[in-house]
Amino acid sequence: MRQTLRRSCTACAKYKHSCDLGTPRCSRCIKRRVECHYANTPLTAPYVPALRVRRPHSLTPVEGPPSIDASFAALDPFDSYPVTRLPRKHVQRLIYNFLHKIAFQYYPLDLNAASNPFLVSWWPLALGDPALFHVSLQTACLDEELLAQKGFLTSEMLMADSVALLRHKVDNAVLAVQDGTMNSVITLAAIEFGKGNLAASQMHIGGVKRLVALRNGMHAVSQTSPLTARMVSWVSMIVTGVPQFDTQDDAGIGDGIPTLSDWQIDATSLQYNVPSLDNLDIADDVRDVFTRLTYIFWNASTTAMSNTRLHDLTCFVAHRLLRSEHGSSVGEPSQISECLRVAMVLYIFMLQGPTYFSHAVMQNMLVCQLLDRLEGAMGGAPRQLWSLEVWLLGVGMAASLGTDNRHRFLERARRTASVLGFGGTGDALAVMRSILWLERLHGEGIFRQSWDEALLESI
């Protein structure tokens, strides 16, 4: 009788199961705790071998949201990971760090392990994508090395391997446009930006923009992976300082960043729900955003807005306002219009708070723009503009916290409060609420702190 050429192990062949050819034992035999015998030695394993990933209970748990271990146990279907140059124990430690710490640092918008997209969307992709897997390990490795302060030898090795694997993917027309490829490129852009390697970061941004174009725009990307669309649009804007993608129009038409459902309203029907800007020289695009935000914020007072929803709104509004600023072919807008444009972006930045990639650098840049334009916009301003000035100053003070520009906002706020006869912080906050305001648990505290400081020192 001719010798069998079967590659699967005896147990899998007996029960007609697919065998992953893992050595010395396949994953199915490991799971069932039975002996694993091969009639023939398996051929070389594929690039993504079936190596068991056991949770390293001996490691000291990292700090994270409560009940992560209990909830993660229900969504841990990952039995294998791609090959790396690191020892297996080192890889397992980095995996543990990514799943229990980095995932929640990168996406603090959702601290639920059962729904955090870095666990339920990103990580499954990484287990089948060697480039994204290396990039993910690199983020966890950088975290370890920053804490240890002993250099970045391992993360630099992972960076080199990540880039090599990505080059292989982008040379393939099919692999280049995968969500995992875009996730890898935009993460490398963020890493290089954080290291101060601006040229390398800009190169990655240019690359991911070409990939988005090949996918027929950001709207198409969002259909397969909302997380990828969020990361690419947000990080590319933060790294470059200006939006890199268009938005869909108000009706949701176009290939840009998707229009939110509550954005698609008839602005003319909201005339009695928003403070009037009729007597001010405000650009049409700024006026439209102001009107729609007022309605959305008013609606959120009865239906709470989730953190992810607020981030989507923040990203969309920033792109709509700042993209139109750079692409406008109309005459020079008024200073008051540009103050309102910048201040609205700053306002939603602060309401959103920290997310997977800090907007601190861009926020400081916008603070400087607001301060410069405020002088020209409000010099000798008529009394009817003073309420808007209170709102602008409140935003400026809060956004400039911890910067050298804060004292200039504080000084102007003291003068304005004195002219208006404010008796305390409550008066200032009441004026801000009458202009543009979203009720958030931390929202009032951001502005109360600034007005307390300004008015206390004016007494």
Side-chain angles (χ1 to χ4, degrees):
M1 180 180 292
R2 184 172 59 88
Q3 184 179 12
T4 177
L5 297 179
R6 185 186 71 230
R7 297 176 60 202
S8 61
C9 73
T10 303
C12 288
K14 178 180 178 181
Y15 294 102
K16 301 186 185 309
H17 290 306
S18 174
C19 182
D20 57 27
L21 309 180
T23 58
R25 293 194 297 165
C26 73
S27 62
R28 188 175 295 277
C29 289
I30 292 175
K31 184 179 294 185
R32 285 157 179 72
R33 298 182 180 180
V34 299
E35 292 297 323
C36 186
H37 298 288
Y38 289 95
N40 299 287
T41 302
L43 300 177
T44 302
Y47 191 77
V48 184
L51 300 176
R52 287 291 295 176
V53 178
R54 297 186 183 276
R55 184 172 298 167
H57 293 289
S58 59
L59 292 176
T60 301
V62 295
E63 183 179 355
S67 303
I68 291 178
D69 287 335
S71 55
F72 183 73
L75 57 89
D76 186 9
F78 316 125
D79 292 330
S80 61
Y81 55 78
V83 172
T84 75
R85 287 196 279 165
L86 297 178
R88 188 166 186 254
K89 287 186 177 180
H90 194 172
V91 173
Q92 289 180 328
R93 187 175 75 247
L94 294 178
I95 289 174
Y96 186 89
N97 192 18
F98 183 91
L99 296 178
H100 291 74
K101 181 180 180 183
I102 302 301
F104 299 98
Q105 286 183 341
Y106 266 42
Y107 207 83
L109 305 174
D110 185 352
L111 299 181
N112 185 345
S115 57
N116 182 290
F118 272 89
L119 294 181
V120 302
S121 173
W122 175 292
W123 188 246
L125 282 179
L127 289 175
D129 185 331
L132 184 58
F133 183 73
H134 278 73
V135 169
S136 303
L137 291 189
Q138 191 179 353
T139 61
C141 188
L142 278 169
D143 178 70
E144 283 191 351
E145 291 176 337
L146 283 170
L147 292 174
Q149 296 185 351
K150 294 182 179 179
F152 301 94
L153 182 62
T154 303
S155 60
E156 290 295 341
M157 182 192 74
L158 288 169
M159 171 65 86
D161 291 346
S162 298
V163 172
L165 290 164
L166 268 176
R167 284 175 179 162
H168 172 73
K169 293 195 71 177
V170 298
D171 286 340
N172 183 301
V174 175
L175 300 180
V177 295
Q178 290 179 338
D179 293 333
T181 307
M182 289 192 227
N183 290 344
S184 299
V185 176
I186 199 63
T187 303
L188 292 184
I191 290 173
E192 296 288 16
F193 182 75
K195 291 180 176 179
N197 300 330
L198 301 186
S201 181
Q202 294 277 0
M203 178 192 70
H204 290 310
I205 295 298
V208 81
K209 288 177 66 178
R210 290 190 291 273
L211 298 181
V212 170
L214 289 173
R215 284 279 294 274
N216 297 317
M218 191 60 71
H219 178 255
V221 176
S222 70
Q223 298 302 298
T224 60
S225 176
L227 175 62
T228 301
R230 288 186 186 110
M231 286 192 61
V232 170
S233 57
W234 180 258
V235 174
S236 64
M237 177 179 69
I238 301 302
V239 165
T240 61
V242 294
Q244 297 297 304
F245 300 95
D246 289 325
T247 60
Q248 289 187 323
D249 65 18
D250 294 335
I253 298 174
D255 58 8
I257 297 173
T259 303
L260 282 69
S261 58
D262 48 8
W263 190 268
Q264 299 173 5
I265 53 178
D266 180 8
T268 60
S269 68
L270 305 175
Q271 296 177 8
Y272 300 103
N273 293 332
V274 300
S276 175
L277 300 177
D278 291 342
N279 297 324
L280 301 179
D281 184 12
I282 305 295
D284 290 342
D285 63 320
V286 177
R287 186 187 301 271
D288 181 71
V289 171
F290 181 89
T291 302
R292 293 174 189 274
L293 277 182
T294 302
Y295 173 79
I296 292 171
F297 289 171
W298 172 80
N299 192 52
S301 64
T302 56
T303 304
M305 186 181 297
S306 69
N307 291 330
T308 299
R309 190 71 172 169
L310 179 57
H311 174 61
D312 286 343
L313 178 65
T314 300
C315 192
F316 181 84
V317 168
H319 278 76
R320 174 63 66 88
L321 287 173
L322 300 180
R323 182 79 171 176
S324 62
E325 175 191 28
H326 290 273
S328 176
S329 59
V330 188
E332 187 70 22
S334 68
Q335 292 292 336
I336 186 63
S337 180
E338 292 309 284
C339 279
L340 188 56
R341 181 194 302 276
V342 172
M344 280 194 287
V345 176
L346 287 172
Y347 183 70
I348 54 177
F349 272 3
M350 287 181 292
L351 288 178
Q352 172 195 262
T355 184
Y356 41 78
F357 192 63
S358 172
H359 54 269
V361 173
M362 188 172 179
Q363 178 169 311
N364 290 338
M365 178 186 71
L366 293 174
V367 163
C368 293
Q369 293 180 17
L370 176 60
L371 190 58
D372 290 341
R373 290 167 178 171
L374 200 57
E375 295 294 333
M378 296 300 178
R383 190 176 182 86
Q384 58 263 36
L385 288 181
W386 286 355
S387 292
L388 180 57
E389 182 176 6
V390 169
W391 187 83
L392 294 172
L393 289 171
V395 171
M397 285 190 294
S400 61
L401 182 65
T403 72
D404 294 337
N405 288 315
R406 182 170 169 81
H407 75 280
R408 296 176 63 184
F409 282 106
L410 287 170
E411 289 175 358
R412 181 152 188 157
R414 292 183 199 114
R415 294 197 302 268
T416 300
S418 178
V419 170
L420 295 176
F422 285 168
T425 296
D427 292 341
L429 294 180
V431 173
M432 292 191 69
R433 284 190 176 90
S434 71
I435 302 297
L436 186 65
W437 189 265
L438 175 64
E439 290 292 346
R440 298 281 287 179
L441 290 177
H442 69 287
E444 180 173 321
I446 296 173
F447 303 102
R448 179 175 293 278
Q449 176 185 354
S450 296
W451 281 109
D452 281 347
E453 184 177 348
L455 298 179
L456 179 64
E457 295 186 15
S458 66
I459 296 176

